[in-house]
Amino acid sequence: GESVGLHLPTLSVQEGDNSIINCAYSNSASDYFIWYKQESGKGPQFIIDIRSNMDKRQGQRVTVLLNKTVKHLSLQIAATQPGDSAVYFCAENYGGSQGNLIFGKGTKLSVKP
Amino acid sequence: DVKVTQSSRYLVKRTGEKVFLECVQDMDHENMFWYRQDPGLGLRLIYFSYDVKMKEKGDIPEGYSVSREKKERFSLILESASTNQTSMYLCASSAPRGHYEQYFGPGTRLTVT
């Protein structure tokens, strides 16, 4: 099995509940942020992104909130499903022209049926 | 849809062997990246390339080299594999500046014995 989820903070939620996953980013100059989902045995998959000129962006069942004052990013998942079980991590672009991203360590989301 | 493929899902090599990990993307992306992912350490950038025959060191380039002879292909080379290079290796690609979303391959789990 995939060991990427070891040693990570874990969020356990009941199926149907809403989930909130938090991320503190490091660089106040970062202007772009992404949330990725990584299922066991797979590569990270893009979920949603947000630019620093916004404080909220919504997708299908997901919402990302950005608080630049405290350098905080959150991912909200509505009506969490068992298929949402995965490791979620945020990434920031610190302004490098080549699009380099700095990745957070991740949070493991576990959905109980 | 963007597709990033990696040559092997699982690989077992002996200490001292030369190891080649291949990555191919089909979206004509300029930027390509190699990361390793270890429990508790998250994604760490090894090397990246923003054009054919161009390469830049990431955060942990020691013990690795790369090759980008064609735009769609980015190879990671372990000149002399060591046990501390046992890890999950992830390749990613992205479009030029302003488009920071990185698309990941499925990963190669390398074990060095």
Side-chain angles (χ1 to χ4, degrees):
Chain A
E2 179 56 60
S3 61
V4 70
L6 293 177
H7 315 302
L8 291 176
T10 299
L11 175 66
S12 186
V13 301
Q14 205 70 38
E15 181 179 358
D17 286 353
N18 297 333
S19 304
I20 300 176
I21 301 170
N22 296 303
C23 177
Y25 64 91
S26 57
N27 195 325
S28 56
S30 292
D31 59 1
Y32 179 76
F33 305 88
I34 304 178
W35 278 100
Y36 283 95
K37 171 186 180 183
Q38 187 174 22
E39 296 175 273
S40 181
K42 296 183 179 180
Q45 179 185 6
F46 170 86
I47 303 173
I48 192 168
D49 59 359
I50 188 169
R51 294 197 178 272
S52 59
N53 60 354
M54 304 172 68
D55 52 20
K56 181 179 180 178
R57 189 159 187 234
Q58 287 185 288
Q60 187 178 13
R61 277 203 309 120
V62 294
T63 301
V64 56
L65 299 177
L66 175 62
N67 185 330
K68 295 182 285 294
T69 303
V70 295
K71 293 191 289 185
H72 183 267
L73 198 62
S74 69
L75 177 71
Q76 300 178 0
I77 304 173
T80 314
Q81 302 167 1
D84 295 326
S85 294
V87 173
Y88 291 81
F89 50 90
C90 64
E92 61 184 295
N93 173 266
Y94 55 88
S97 61
Q98 303 310 324
N100 290 20
L101 298 174
I102 300 173
F103 292 87
K105 299 284 192 294
T107 297
K108 185 175 183 181
L109 176 64
S110 179
V111 182
K112 295 176 286 186
Chain B
D1 279 351
V2 176
K3 191 156 186 185
V4 180
T5 57
Q6 294 183 229
S7 50
S8 304
R9 292 301 307 275
Y10 299 93
L11 210 51
V12 179
K13 295 291 182 181
R14 293 188 181 275
T15 301
E17 279 193 87
K18 190 169 186 176
V19 182
F20 293 87
L21 302 183
E22 304 284 341
C23 175
V24 177
Q25 50 93 5
D26 67 357
M27 277 300 290
D28 203 36
H29 283 169
E30 273 74 8
N31 303 331
M32 295 189 74
F33 307 83
W34 273 107
Y35 297 90
R36 63 178 283 176
Q37 186 176 36
D38 301 287
L41 298 178
L43 283 163
R44 293 183 290 167
L45 182 63
I46 305 171
Y47 267 96
F48 64 100
S49 167
Y50 52 87
D51 203 350
V52 176
K53 297 194 186 293
M54 304 299 287
K55 59 185 179 184
E56 296 283 344
K57 292 180 179 179
D59 300 318
I60 51 163
E62 296 78 20
Y64 304 94
S65 63
V66 290
S67 173
R68 187 130 181 239
E69 295 297 318
K70 293 185 177 181
K71 191 175 185 180
E72 67 272 17
R73 187 179 298 269
F74 192 33
S75 303
L76 180 69
I77 303 151
L78 286 65
E79 296 291 341
S80 178
S82 63
T83 55
N84 63 11
Q85 291 179 309
T86 292
S87 187
M88 169 70 88
Y89 289 87
L90 289 160
C91 175
S93 71
S94 71
R97 66 185 67 194
H99 300 270
Y100 300 132
E101 177 188 344
Q102 292 183 17
Y103 297 85
F104 284 85
T108 296
R109 179 158 293 283
L110 173 67
T111 302
V112 183
T113 61

